[in-house]
Amino acid sequence: MRRWIDPLALLLALLVAVGGLALAEGPELELDLPPEDLIVEAADAPDALDVPIALEAPEAFEAPVDGGTAEVFDANDGATLSLNAEKLKLGVGESFRLVPAVTGDGDATFRFRSSKPEVATVNGKGKVVARAVGRANVEVTTADGLSAVCAVRVLPAPDTIQLNQSAVTLGYDAQRDIGMTFRLKASLPSGTCGRVVYSSYNTGVVGVDESGVLTPRGVGTAKVRARTYNGLKAIATVTVLPAPEAIALSEEELLLMPGEVHTLAAILPEGTTGTVTFRSDDATVAKVNAKTGRIRAVALGETTVTAVAFNGVEASCQVKVLMKPASISLASSQLTVGLGEAHSLEAMPLAADGSPAGGGLTFASSKPSVASVSADGVVIGVKKGSATITVTAIGGITATCAVKVVGAPGSVQVSAEDPKLAYDPDTGEGDSTVLKVTLPSGSASAIAYTGYDPDVLEISADGVATAVGTGTTRVTVSTFNGRTAWCVIRVLSTREDCMVNVAHRGGAAYWPENTLEAFRNTESTGATAVELDARTTKDGVQVVHHDEYFTSGGKKRYINKLTLSELKRLKPSLCTLDEALDVISATGLELDLELKKTADPEACVRIVRSHNMRDRTVYISFEQSLLKKVRSMEPSARLGYIITSTPSGLDSVISNLGLCYIAQKYDSLNRTNLLKWQNRGLLVGVWTVDGASSIRKWMDMGVDYLTSNYPRRVTEALGR
């Protein structure tokens, strides 16, 4: 096979052979070059990257590599010589390594030569060093005649460097290991060029690749440096915040007309960040700008606009494109607000057929100095007085609300009209009661109901409480300016008795009072609790006796002046508290243990404990000091205060002793006090009621405990 000979190559070979001419290789100079790992190899530009925020980045400087691979083909044997760059653009003092490669059967011994060593030199390993501004060609040849050329352009070295952002905030979702990215771009002065290397000072927070792409790796703050080949630096501060665990939108529902526009705002939790994109399920109804959230209504119908954070968390807004409004529905034509109170006017445009219409509403106040109103209808009381709020829909449709601004409340009170309700577990139906809220005269406030158990009560916006289960719960009311009050509501099952039937002294109408005989038979009357009286003997024994003395042998015999044995001899029916509880503990009865003046509270508590009756006992007494001693010894004890008429300072007694029970004499208790105490969470009892009609009266009034010498009559009234 004939082979084509390059005449120029043949001539050069002959000259070398005869020694008449030496082909000069460009001079090799020793330079203070950067380490080998900073010599940039030519590479394709990275793909475009999403940025975390909408910012216009400046144009990036030109990369040192201008062109792609340079190749020469041999037509005879198919050998190819290629270079990793056919064009280079370098700054003065910058270096670049040319890497040749031969495919096919060509010779892999390479020689390098610069056409202008004063502009760019090249050594035997292909390292090109820019020496001065200008242009030069670097030729690479092989012994068998293959060659390739790289065109080198040398520009001045940069004297400054800038980044497109000096501060960047990124979001990172550690659970999903998803982070936002951002590309730092370095700018060099016009007419200069040079390689830039990026590095992160804290790779645990953010990493950066060779093209300046930032990738978060953990929450925190880090510095990222861009450094030119000649030592210039620029620094960016990168803050990585947690990604949002949830997002919200400025509106959950929009009513628009065709052609109308509205911009949704995405709201992220405080301390988080992240890009959010928007999409519409049906762009034929409403289109949305993916980046800005700007919605344009297109045609009648409904669609969902969804905002999605970069880590997949999303929120939605229902968009309805409706007809033109013909009227405005306004929740109230009159409104009273407290000074400084905010109230949202509920308004909606309506179509001619009464259905919701599209189009936004505007709000205006006749006296903004008295009552201001925001663009979304929030009225604020600014100064005492009156003003008119006008609501306007598209087409000039209006509605008005008369606003009166009065004082802010200095206090608030609340009570349930009936603090004791019934709930039927078989039907799921429960009683209701109205919560009465009282504010000082001349003031006003919207009321919020909080703190109650939703398994016991449901409370409407206008304060109607309905039983939905059984239990006791506190209801707190709050005014806009932070004033609070509370009441307690009890809900009993219809399967329970509405009142505790207390056998007075064991059922004194049927058996000798306060005796073991009475206590053995009390349960047979249908009573659910037994009341007895405790006193202390001379030798410190707790005995059951109501009066401080009894008459025997024509003499008054005082309990506290005789020993137990003496008392037993004089009154054999007298029993000790220990003996009484030995009988009562074997029944299902609760115990109302009345501590008389001479009773020893600590001894009584020990006896109750010994019979395992702590949860079935209420300690009651006329004496606050005795109840206080019980409380100190038994912090969880239930305490009841016995009164005749209502004493002054009772509220402080209730608080100081932590009472759960008030027992008042039947001719002193009234419904006002009954409801007042029950609203405070107290159980209220009445004593001693014996007549059948009186028993029915107090039961209907709603007392919690009724103490009677005739517990069978109470049982009959309860229908048991």
Side-chain angles (χ1 to χ4, degrees):
M1 177 185 296
R2 296 181 62 187
R3 181 170 181 174
W4 178 81
I5 304 297
D6 185 342
L8 178 60
L10 179 59
L11 176 60
L12 291 173
L14 291 172
L15 291 173
V16 171
V18 300
L21 177 66
L23 179 61
E25 180 180 342
E28 293 189 36
L29 302 178
E30 293 297 320
L31 299 172
D32 183 13
L33 297 173
E36 293 296 314
D37 59 22
L38 291 183
I39 295 176
V40 178
E41 302 293 339
D44 292 333
D47 293 331
L49 296 161
D50 292 332
V51 295
I53 47 180
L55 293 172
E56 291 295 326
E59 292 295 322
F61 65 93
E62 293 184 313
V65 179
D66 273 353
T69 303
E71 297 181 348
V72 173
F73 297 93
D74 187 301
N76 293 318
D77 59 13
T80 301
L81 172 62
S82 63
L83 298 176
N84 58 331
E86 64 178 4
K87 293 181 181 180
L88 287 176
K89 187 183 288 185
L90 304 175
V92 173
E94 188 175 3
S95 65
F96 182 86
R97 185 180 302 283
L98 278 176
V99 180
V102 172
T103 60
D105 298 329
D107 192 333
T109 302
F110 306 109
R111 293 178 61 83
F112 300 84
R113 184 183 71 84
S114 172
S115 66
K116 292 183 180 180
E118 69 277 12
V119 173
T121 62
V122 62
N123 68 11
K125 295 183 179 180
K127 182 185 289 185
V128 178
V129 180
R131 302 298 182 183
V133 174
R135 297 176 183 271
N137 290 327
V138 174
E139 183 182 32
V140 183
T141 60
T142 64
D144 58 358
L146 297 178
S147 67
V149 175
C150 176
V152 180
R153 183 182 178 188
V154 180
L155 296 175
D159 55 6
T160 61
I161 181 174
Q162 291 183 335
L163 291 173
N164 57 329
Q165 289 291 311
S166 61
V168 178
T169 300
L170 303 175
Y172 177 67
D173 189 327
Q175 182 177 359
R176 299 175 177 85
D177 193 23
I178 299 174
M180 298 162 56
T181 58
F182 180 79
R183 184 174 182 179
L184 282 178
K185 294 183 181 180
S187 295
L188 304 179
S190 177
T192 69
C193 74
R195 179 182 62 255
V196 176
V197 176
Y198 298 90
S199 58
S200 170
Y201 290 0
N202 187 345
T203 56
V205 172
V206 65
V208 61
D209 69 10
E210 63 182 13
S211 61
V213 176
L214 303 173
T215 303
R217 295 171 179 167
V219 173
T221 301
K223 302 286 187 182
V224 173
R225 183 188 70 181
R227 182 179 182 275
T228 65
Y229 74 93
N230 59 337
L232 302 177
K233 300 176 185 177
I235 300 293
T237 300
V238 181
T239 302
V240 180
L241 297 177
E245 296 181 0
I247 61 175
L249 292 174
S250 51
E251 283 85 20
E252 295 181 355
E253 183 181 54
L254 283 175
L255 306 180
L256 304 176
M257 293 190 306
E260 190 176 1
V261 297
H262 184 91
T263 299
L264 277 179
I267 304 167
L268 307 184
E270 186 176 357
T272 68
T273 192
T275 51
V276 176
T277 57
F278 298 84
R279 69 170 186 268
S280 172
D281 286 354
D282 190 345
T284 65
V285 174
K287 296 180 179 179
V288 63
N289 185 292
K291 292 183 178 180
T292 66
R294 186 174 185 266
I295 298 171
R296 177 178 290 276
V298 178
L300 299 180
E302 296 185 23
T303 186
T304 300
V305 172
T306 304
V308 184
F310 77 93
N311 60 335
V313 176
E314 61 182 45
S316 297
C317 173
Q318 299 302 310
V319 179
K320 298 180 181 179
V321 182
L322 306 169
M323 294 183 290
K324 181 179 179 180
S327 63
I328 297 174
S329 170
L330 199 57
S332 177
S333 60
Q334 294 184 334
L335 179 65
T336 300
V337 297
L339 194 61
E341 182 178 2
H343 182 93
S344 181
L345 281 179
E346 297 180 10
M348 176 180 290
L350 298 178
D353 61 0
S355 64
L361 298 173
T362 60
F363 300 83
S365 172
S366 63
K367 295 181 181 179
S369 62
V370 173
S372 66
V373 63
S374 69
D376 55 353
V378 177
V379 177
I380 298 178
V382 179
K383 183 176 68 176
K384 292 182 181 180
S386 299
T388 299
I389 305 299
T390 300
V391 187
T392 305
I394 291 175
I397 307 297
T398 63
T400 60
C401 176
V403 178
K404 183 179 181 181
V405 181
V406 298
S411 62
V412 62
Q413 294 179 342
V414 63
S415 62
E417 289 185 354
D418 188 351
K420 187 164 68 172
L421 305 177
Y423 173 76
D424 188 339
D426 297 323
T427 65
E429 296 180 352
D431 293 342
S432 295
T433 186
V434 175
L435 295 172
K436 182 181 178 182
V437 178
T438 304
L439 300 174
S441 177
S443 67
S445 174
I447 297 298
Y449 300 92
T450 59
Y452 59 91
D453 186 343
D455 292 330
V456 176
L457 289 179
E458 286 182 351
I459 302 180
S460 65
D462 56 353
V464 177
T466 302
V468 295
T470 58
T472 300
T473 185
R474 175 185 287 200
V475 179
T476 298
V477 297
S478 304
T479 66
F480 77 93
N481 59 337
R483 305 294 188 262
T484 61
W486 56 267
C487 66
V488 174
I489 296 178
R490 294 174 62 220
V491 181
L492 301 176
S493 170
T494 53
R495 298 171 183 170
E496 303 176 65
D497 288 335
C498 62
M499 187 177 67
V500 178
N501 179 3
V502 184
H504 188 231
R505 305 176 194 173
Y510 310 127
W511 301 279
E513 66 180 42
N514 280 328
T515 61
L516 294 180
E517 180 185 3
F519 301 144
R520 291 190 185 101
N521 290 283
T522 299
E523 199 169 25
S524 67
T525 67
T528 48
V530 59
E531 185 267 352
L532 55 78
D533 308 282
R535 291 184 177 276
T536 306
T537 66
K538 182 179 179 179
D539 51 353
V541 178
Q542 303 304 300
V543 294
V544 180
H545 199 272
H546 179 268
D547 297 334
E548 61 180 339
Y549 66 87
F550 61 91
T551 301
S552 176
K555 294 183 179 181
K556 291 182 178 180
R557 310 291 183 171
Y558 286 88
I559 300 296
N560 65 339
K561 294 183 179 180
L562 297 171
T563 65
L564 177 62
S565 61
E566 291 171 334
L567 289 168
K568 287 277 192 178
R569 178 173 54 81
L570 294 170
K571 191 174 184 177
S573 63
L574 183 143
C575 65
T576 66
L577 179 61
D578 187 63
E579 291 170 335
L581 297 197
D582 194 41
V583 172
I584 295 170
S585 64
T587 70
L589 296 170
E590 290 194 4
L591 172 64
D592 281 15
L593 175 52
E594 182 177 347
L595 305 176
K596 292 300 186 178
K597 280 186 179 181
T598 62
D600 181 347
E602 295 184 358
C604 291
V605 168
R606 286 193 295 270
I607 294 169
V608 168
R609 287 176 177 173
S610 70
H611 288 278
N612 198 27
M613 289 193 64
R614 296 164 80 172
D615 296 336
R616 292 164 56 189
T617 299
V618 180
Y619 297 89
I620 61 176
S621 182
F622 286 94
E623 309 299 326
Q624 297 179 39
S625 59
L626 300 182
L627 295 174
K628 187 175 181 180
K629 289 181 180 179
V630 173
R631 173 66 71 217
S632 65
M633 187 174 181
E634 190 79 281
S636 62
R638 292 183 292 162
L639 304 183
Y641 190 34
I642 309 174
I643 58 176
T644 49
S645 60
T646 305
S648 60
L650 180 59
D651 287 346
S652 63
V653 175
I654 293 170
S655 299
N656 293 338
L657 292 177
L659 298 178
C660 72
Y661 176 38
I662 292 286
Q664 189 164 32
K665 190 177 180 182
Y666 73 93
D667 56 3
S668 297
L669 182 62
N670 57 52
R671 181 163 175 77
T672 298
N673 281 343
L674 171 66
L675 295 178
K676 174 184 175 182
W677 296 332
Q678 286 180 332
N679 269 284
R680 286 289 304 273
L682 294 167
L683 300 174
V684 181
V686 62
W687 54 274
T688 303
V689 183
D690 290 339
S693 61
S694 294
I695 290 171
R696 170 59 64 181
K697 166 193 165 184
W698 288 108
M699 186 176 72
D700 292 342
M701 190 179 290
V703 295
D704 302 299
Y705 283 73
L706 190 145
T707 302
S708 176
N709 292 307
Y710 294 86
R712 287 197 181 106
R713 294 178 181 176
V714 180
T715 301
E716 291 171 0
L718 290 170
R720 292 177 57 195

